[in-house]
Amino acid sequence: MATVPLPPPDAQRFNTVCQFCIVGCGYQVYKWPLGRDGGPAPADNALGVDYRQPLPALSDWISPLMHSQITGRDGRRYNVVIVPDHTCAVNEGLASVRGGGLAQTLYSPERPTKARLSEPLIAVGDTHTPLGWDQATDLGARVIKAVVDRWGADAVGMKFYDHGGGGGGFENNWAIGRFFFSGLGTRTASIHNRPAYNSEIHAAGDAGLAALTNAYLDAQLADTIVIVGANPYETQSNYYLTHMIPNLNGATLKRKRAMFGAEAVERARMIIIDPRRTMTVATAEAAGGKDRVLHLQIEPGADIALLNAIARVVLERRWHDVAFIRERTEWQTFESYQRSTLAVDRPLQEVVNEAARVAGVPASQIRQAAQWIAAPKRDGARRRTLLHYEKGLIWGLKNYENIAALVDLGLLSGNVGKPGTGVSRLGGHQEAYVRPPYPGGRPALNVDEAVRRGEVKCYWIGGCNPVLTTLRAEAMEAALRERGAVVREVLLQTQGKPVGERVTRIVEALKAGGMFILTQDIYMTASARYAHLVLPAAQWGEMNLTSINGERRLRLYQRFMDPPGAAIPDWMIMARFARRLRALYLQDRNPLKANRFLDFDWKGDEDVFIHARYQFKGDGSDAMEGYAGVTYDLLRRLGNNGIQTPTQIVNGVPVGSVRLHEDGRFFTASGRARFIPAPQPWPGYAAQVTRQRARYPFWVNNGRSNHIWQTLYHHQLIPFYSEHNPMPFLEIHAQDAKRLGVASGDLVELSNDVGKVRALAYLSDAVKPGHTFMIFGQPRGAVGDLVSDHVDPTTTIPYYKGAWAAIRRISGAPEIAKTVSFLPQNVAQ
Amino acid sequence: MVNRRGFIKVSCTGVAGLVVARHGMHSVAAQSPQTSVYPIVDIAPLSSIARGAAIPFSYPDERSPALLLRVNEPAAAGVGPNNEIVAYSTLCTHKGCPVSYKPERKLFICPCHWSTFDPVKSGTLVIGQASEALPQINLRVLAGMVQAQGVSGLIYGRYTNIV
């Protein structure tokens, strides 16, 4: 019989935040030795819950997935229960499908998570063999030094996460940034999900806006919520369920009245701009009624045309916020924006009709959207509109102009810096960016190309998996395999030889086209298999880490268990390498180089957190991550509600920021926001994409889904998730499926001029005919194998959403069809 | 965590359909280990269960609402003609709201946060925020009577199914 053990009253208790999505729901961890379980009476369990009766709905119930057993380094075994925290303002006790399984992600020698990396490994032939930290660090540092000395720092490439949450945190990001930027000084850097070291939203930055401007509370207060290129029911679940849905169904009306006094308030409306009819559309309609939800089912690449047409209607109807524009923006940028972007020299009708045609949506919906965004309320008050966007815009046809068009619409309608408004990313992972400045310029160097061209002699991949996630992924894998093989051969030949000799031979291999690859991660990923040195990292729960969520809520994620074996936090790995490099440069009598690696002597997680903090002044000028004055002790006391960054020091005490730009100041030299031109209604496709579209009939839209996180690095090991997602799924419209002879559950192959990949067909009315949608980054099929190498020349951001492919049926998959449900995933009533 | 399919396999081999469960294994000293046995409960005569039938009952006790369904296709762990008869707890495994069966959609939907479950595939989560399948009531047919004889999965609100 399925049971869960109850934590005893004296169970150890820790605060944590979910390791997965940007929302950062609060959770409580209970840990106690096996055999000392609590009882069902409230006094006999740590939850204080009366389990002698079945709990009523919406209680703190422990589902079986919320419990697991772990083994400490001392060999003692513990029960761990991880339950959503009802005192956390973010999730108010709700778990998402991902957070509900946090306990399953913990390392255990008895469960599939035993696959965790637990000691440094070196490549030997086709496999890897353990070596100690000292040897691994010495060899790695010597190779890096040899590369820097011979080819310069830019010959060391890095691809590292820069995020918060699981695997991230301010602590690790600071150490990584110090090692590569102020230490090595390489410009050949790239971020986990893209081939360069760049902002995903340069246009918002140029406009002076932070990435995350609003508080989640604003979703409860808005009159209209706009969602562009995102699917929050599935991928920001508890932000959507806890804060947006109660506004759609009227549950926050009282709060609105209390906040806004006599101002007219009503249930929120929602505008969703998405090529798919997602579960977000379905649930919004179920909560708010169809008449208050507007779904603009946009064609690929039409974002700029559509958003500009909406903005043009706003301007034409005189719904724009004249006072905001006059007082808070650079007036001359508004002047030029009207001509360059809103095409005021052309008739309104023509602009709207053109956008309707390009976007494949009725002109009436464009006008309706403009009205919901900016028309005055029935009492004449300005409408409060919260504009959210994510990867649909970011990975879209023209990264820079896509973002610009939305930010401009927010500025035009004055929807930033006030309760119930905002122009913000919905976000993917959590954030925790604090690093010395990146030494490179803009547009940033395309590191994927530098790897393929052989300019990168040493490539260090940390906490990410480009074989599954980059564009032209097969070509990246080939480069890792083929260039790595040259070094592998040398490692095999020089086994047991002195390290100096090995390094000399490795350098010879690098001269001959080889590439030395280091990976640090928690699992042996598809990319790590090609690494020569594999370094085992600690994960969430195995170190103290700090991060911010989508409303910049900074919390301490407490350490509650040991990492496996010799695994250590990423910051500690960077510190090891830095200290070794310093020693090697001192031996070389090169104090200038040696001193670049000073101050890597942190003793614990908090040392790194405090060290990084000097970047922040606490005077109102800090970036959105600023945590001046914050200590672990303060965060411990603030628990899972934490403090919203950036902080300002007032009377010696850090004070948080509920929302950004509330004081009317923006991150520009003038302090005023700038309208950014997004002039082309239809920029057209790049040559690579044009060729694909001409040859292959199906658009392969792609992204995340509800159940699984990123590359499934944890979830492929947990039956609840892996049985749901044994293969990448491909949503395809019934008309197209019929023509191809494809049924739900069939294995299909997608192919184009870049590569091919297999997926499980899933007939769905979520996609229009001719459109498909595939999960990204699945270990058994990476959509990146279809994505061309085109990047936005302004930003070096890929057009991940822009792949076209042919599709053919391969076979049925009867075993998979036994357990996987093919019922629609966008039904809510 | 019990692998769902594995559990079903085990329970099908149980002697006379009796699933013996130990829920005292986690108990503190004050509670002596005990053995609980799922009751055998009549739900409806097989002959009365037409295609499309949806019969509410409760199991393993009156505080645990459940629904027996006859779907139009063979279902995992189904009984009766073509294995079309299945039964599930109707408390959502996310936060315990009552799920309802939508015959035109062929799925259970929770009205609180819209988790949906597939009755043909052992109550697996189709989409939503629950982190368990809907607990399936193990059925058998004895002398023309459809009976409940156990539960696969933990029913919402409980730390063990027999409280």
Side-chain angles (χ1 to χ4, degrees):
Chain A
M1 188 184 300
T3 59
V4 289
L6 299 174
D10 62 349
Q12 286 181 276
R13 189 171 167 162
F14 306 88
N15 286 323
T16 195
V17 174
C18 181
Q19 64 179 291
F20 298 120
C21 90
I22 177 79
V23 178
C25 297
Y27 282 80
Q28 295 280 339
V29 181
Y30 297 92
K31 178 183 174 186
W32 70 98
L34 245 55
R36 295 189 24 79
D37 297 347
D44 293 337
N45 67 72
L47 299 164
V49 166
D50 190 352
Y51 261 104
R52 293 170 301 188
Q53 303 290 321
L55 309 182
L58 308 177
S59 299
D60 291 334
W61 179 58
I62 307 169
S63 90
L65 221 61
M66 295 176 185
H67 161 250
S68 70
Q69 293 180 356
I70 60 166
T71 304
R73 273 184 177 153
D74 59 4
R76 293 188 67 188
R77 299 190 66 199
Y78 300 90
N79 279 309
V80 176
V81 159
I82 305 180
V83 289
D85 183 350
H86 64 255
T87 69
C88 176
V90 175
N91 52 316
E92 296 177 359
L94 283 192
S96 71
V97 65
R98 302 169 298 280
L102 284 167
Q104 305 301 319
T105 69
L106 307 182
Y107 168 72
S108 165
E110 278 94 37
R111 283 183 288 114
T113 53
K114 67 184 175 204
R116 281 284 301 279
L117 295 168
S118 60
E119 47 194 342
L121 304 171
I122 185 166
V124 178
D126 291 335
T127 179
H128 290 90
T129 187
L131 82 171
W133 270 115
D134 288 344
Q135 271 185 288
T137 310
D138 185 44
L139 178 66
R142 283 173 188 272
V143 171
I144 289 168
K145 177 173 178 298
V147 167
V148 172
D149 292 348
R150 180 172 187 92
W151 287 282
D154 287 341
V156 179
M158 70 85 120
K159 185 173 192 69
F160 264 71
Y161 66 82
D162 72 341
H163 54 68
F170 284 108
E171 298 76 7
N172 291 328
N173 281 324
W174 178 242
I176 292 162
R178 286 197 76 234
F179 181 84
F180 286 103
F181 297 158
S182 54
L184 287 178
T186 181
R187 293 174 293 186
T188 314
S190 58
I191 295 170
H192 52 271
N193 61 356
R194 50 196 191 267
Y197 208 87
N198 46 6
S199 168
E200 288 173 341
I201 55 162
H202 274 309
D206 292 350
L209 267 71
L212 305 168
T213 65
N214 66 293
Y216 283 177
L217 171 67
D218 290 319
Q220 298 188 21
L221 302 175
D223 294 302
T224 301
I225 301 171
V226 183
I227 306 282
V228 188
N231 181 10
Y233 178 83
E234 296 197 44
T235 58
Q236 294 88 6
S237 307
N238 284 332
Y239 178 24
Y240 181 75
L241 290 171
T242 309
H243 303 276
M244 296 186 190
I245 287 292
N247 194 356
L248 288 177
N249 68 22
T252 65
L253 279 172
K254 212 174 140 190
R255 187 163 218 169
K256 287 182 171 184
R257 288 194 196 100
M259 190 89 184
F260 301 134
E263 183 179 318
V265 294
E266 54 184 316
R267 291 189 291 121
R269 291 184 169 81
M270 182 170 271
I271 300 169
I272 300 160
I273 302 180
D274 194 309
R276 288 196 301 155
R277 184 182 158 77
T278 59
M279 190 62 172
T280 299
V281 179
T283 52
E285 288 178 353
K290 280 195 167 190
D291 59 331
R292 300 183 85 82
V293 177
L294 182 59
H295 176 210
L296 303 174
Q297 201 163 3
I298 188 178
E299 287 293 318
D303 305 271
I304 302 164
L306 181 65
L307 293 168
N308 285 346
I310 292 171
R312 174 69 190 275
V313 175
V314 170
L315 182 74
E316 200 84 11
R317 298 293 302 270
R318 296 293 183 231
W319 291 334
H320 57 295
D321 191 336
V322 176
F324 178 90
I325 293 166
R326 189 177 56 232
E327 291 158 22
R328 305 278 167 89
T329 70
E330 293 182 11
W331 177 258
Q332 59 281 29
T333 65
F334 177 59
E335 289 287 290
S336 57
Y337 162 73
Q338 293 177 64
R339 287 192 306 279
S340 70
T341 306
L342 300 188
V344 288
D345 303 331
R346 293 169 60 206
L348 173 73
Q349 193 75 12
E350 188 182 309
V351 171
V352 170
N353 288 346
E354 179 186 54
R357 183 171 42 76
V358 169
V361 303
S364 59
Q365 286 191 345
I366 293 176
R367 294 173 188 279
Q368 176 98 76
Q371 190 178 0
W372 285 12
I373 288 169
K377 297 201 274 188
R378 54 187 152 78
D379 62 347
R382 280 215 70 82
R383 199 165 289 275
R384 298 172 186 271
T385 298
L386 174 60
L387 299 116
H388 271 306
Y389 64 100
E390 194 43 48
K391 287 295 186 292
L393 270 192
I394 292 169
W395 296 154
L397 175 61
K398 287 284 289 173
N399 165 272
Y400 191 84
E401 286 80 359
N402 280 0
I403 308 299
L406 186 74
V407 168
D408 291 338
L409 179 58
L411 295 176
L412 183 72
S413 55
N415 278 308
V416 64
K418 293 182 291 199
T421 74
V423 181
S424 299
R425 292 184 60 170
L426 266 172
H429 49 70
Q430 293 161 33
E431 302 294 341
Y433 193 84
V434 60
R435 281 181 182 165
Y438 165 59
R442 177 173 153 195
L445 176 86
N446 186 325
V447 173
D448 277 22
E449 287 182 2
V451 167
R452 287 199 295 266
R453 285 195 303 254
E455 293 156 12
V456 175
K457 304 295 178 192
C458 174
Y459 194 32
W460 194 335
I461 301 168
C464 58
N465 191 354
V467 165
L468 294 185
T469 61
T470 198
L471 60 169
R472 247 189 105 190
E474 283 185 7
M476 171 54 65
E477 184 166 9
L480 295 176
R481 182 176 56 239
E482 288 158 20
R483 299 196 54 216
V486 183
V487 175
R488 260 177 195 257
E489 183 62 29
V490 167
L491 287 179
L492 196 60
Q493 290 165 4
T494 58
Q495 267 193 92
K497 299 273 200 272
V499 66
E501 187 183 331
R502 295 194 95 178
V503 172
T504 306
R505 292 283 305 280
I506 289 168
V507 171
E508 294 301 317
L510 302 184
K511 280 193 245 172
M515 181 166 71
F516 189 82
I517 305 164
L518 300 94
T519 304
Q520 78 195 55
D521 213 313
I522 59 173
Y523 290 114
M524 183 61 86
T525 63
S527 300
R529 289 186 199 288
Y530 296 109
H532 305 107
L533 281 180
V534 179
L535 309 170
Q539 73 149 339
W540 173 93
E542 297 165 356
M543 64 173 286
N544 293 294
L545 67 88
T546 53
S547 297
I548 59 172
N549 76 342
E551 56 173 347
R552 297 158 281 99
R553 201 177 282 274
L554 172 64
R555 271 106 19 119
L556 176 64
Y557 307 37
Q558 291 183 300
R559 180 191 200 275
F560 57 86
M561 63 180 287
D562 298 325
I568 54 177
D570 288 309
W571 67 257
M572 215 181 271
I573 299 176
M574 305 324 300
R576 273 188 163 274
F577 274 76
R579 291 196 300 263
R580 187 67 200 129
L581 275 163
R582 175 168 164 77
L584 291 169
Y585 276 114
L586 285 176
Q587 279 172 26
D588 252 16
R589 297 176 174 276
N590 188 342
L592 287 177
K593 276 276 168 65
N595 288 343
R596 295 184 69 113
F597 297 99
L598 266 174
D599 292 334
F600 278 88
D601 295 320
W602 310 299
K603 296 288 181 285
D605 307 315
E606 188 175 10
D607 288 353
V608 199
F609 178 76
I610 297 296
H611 189 189
R613 200 180 64 178
Y614 83 80
Q615 299 275 303
F616 305 121
K617 299 190 187 78
D619 61 357
S621 68
D622 291 337
M624 70 171 188
E625 295 88 354
Y627 60 84
V630 179
T631 61
Y632 273 18
D633 183 55
L634 177 68
L635 292 176
R636 265 191 291 270
R637 284 187 279 133
L638 294 172
N640 278 340
N641 288 324
I643 186 167
Q644 284 173 279
T645 59
T647 54
Q648 289 195 53
I649 306 293
V650 180
N651 297 328
V653 177
V655 176
S657 310
V658 174
R659 58 184 68 79
L660 284 178
H661 311 302
E662 207 157 13
D663 58 359
R665 286 188 301 159
F666 292 85
F667 295 115
T668 57
S670 67
R672 287 168 172 252
R674 300 169 57 90
F675 286 88
I676 305 295
Q680 298 152 301
W682 179 242
Y685 292 104
Q688 300 97 309
V689 181
T690 302
R691 276 200 304 277
Q692 268 192 5
R693 278 173 52 86
R695 283 177 62 188
Y696 307 103
F698 292 103
W699 177 41
V700 188
N701 188 8
N702 58 88
R704 289 194 176 120
S705 77
N706 186 54
H707 298 67
I708 47 177
W709 180 244
Q710 310 295 56
T711 56
L712 287 76
Y713 52 89
H714 279 316
H715 287 149
Q716 63 186 328
L717 303 174
I718 305 170
F720 175 78
Y721 302 101
S722 61
E723 287 177 7
H724 198 281
N725 296 274
M727 293 268 307
F729 65 78
L730 181 82
E731 288 180 354
I732 183 167
H733 192 275
Q735 277 176 28
D736 293 327
K738 193 175 172 193
R739 205 153 37 82
L740 297 168
V742 167
S744 274
D746 282 355
L747 213 52
V748 295
E749 182 189 74
L750 297 92
S751 60
N752 66 11
D753 53 342
V754 178
K756 55 178 80 165
V757 64
R758 288 182 175 196
L760 199 61
Y762 201 120
L763 271 59
S764 172
D765 66 0
V767 289
K768 290 184 191 175
H771 293 188
T772 65
F773 181 87
M774 183 171 160
I775 191 79
F776 96 107
Q778 221 273 5
R780 298 180 71 179
V783 79
D785 288 341
L786 302 173
V787 177
S788 80
D789 58 3
H790 170 69
V791 297
D792 183 344
T794 318
T795 58
T796 328
I797 293 289
Y799 184 21
Y800 282 120
K801 304 282 189 186
W804 278 260
I807 297 174
R808 71 179 178 95
R809 181 180 185 274
I810 295 178
S811 66
E815 276 308 305
I816 287 174
K818 278 183 195 161
T819 54
V820 175
S821 175
F822 293 97
L823 292 176
Q825 297 202 12
N826 59 352
V827 166
Q829 54 187 335
Chain B
M1 189 188 62
V2 179
N3 174 294
R4 188 164 186 81
R5 283 174 299 162
F7 186 85
I8 291 165
K9 215 180 293 170
V10 170
S11 67
C12 288
T13 60
V15 179
L18 280 179
V19 178
V20 178
R22 297 165 59 83
H23 77 134
M25 58 193 286
H26 303 297
S27 54
V28 293
Q31 302 167 291
S32 59
Q34 52 188 305
T35 300
S36 292
V37 177
Y38 277 115
I40 305 287
V41 173
D42 290 350
I43 304 172
L46 180 61
S47 59
S48 71
I49 305 174
R51 277 203 161 164
I55 302 170
F57 67 108
S58 59
Y59 188 83
D61 55 54
E62 68 215 21
R63 293 163 302 182
S64 176
L67 191 68
L68 177 140
L69 296 175
R70 180 161 168 198
V71 293
N72 286 325
E73 56 189 302
V79 299
N82 205 23
N83 298 327
E84 289 178 354
I85 299 172
V86 286
Y88 292 91
S89 160
T90 53
L91 295 180
C92 181
T93 47
H94 182 220
K95 292 304 278 185
C97 299
V99 299
S100 54
Y101 182 67
K102 304 280 181 183
E104 70 284 9
R105 303 288 201 182
K106 297 183 178 179
L107 44 69
F108 287 100
I109 301 183
C110 176
C112 285
H113 310 100
W114 301 288
S115 289
T116 59
F117 303 89
D118 186 344
V120 171
K121 306 268 173 82
S122 296
T124 191
L125 182 69
V126 177
I127 193 168
Q129 309 312 331
S131 50
E132 290 291 317
L134 213 51
Q136 186 165 18
I137 313 294
N138 303 330
L139 301 177
R140 69 172 181 181
V141 181
L142 193 68
M145 179 62 69
V146 176
Q147 298 177 317
Q149 59 172 0
V151 181
S152 295
L154 185 63
I155 297 166
Y156 170 83
R158 301 169 182 232
Y159 72 103
T160 182
N161 284 335
I162 306 283
V163 287

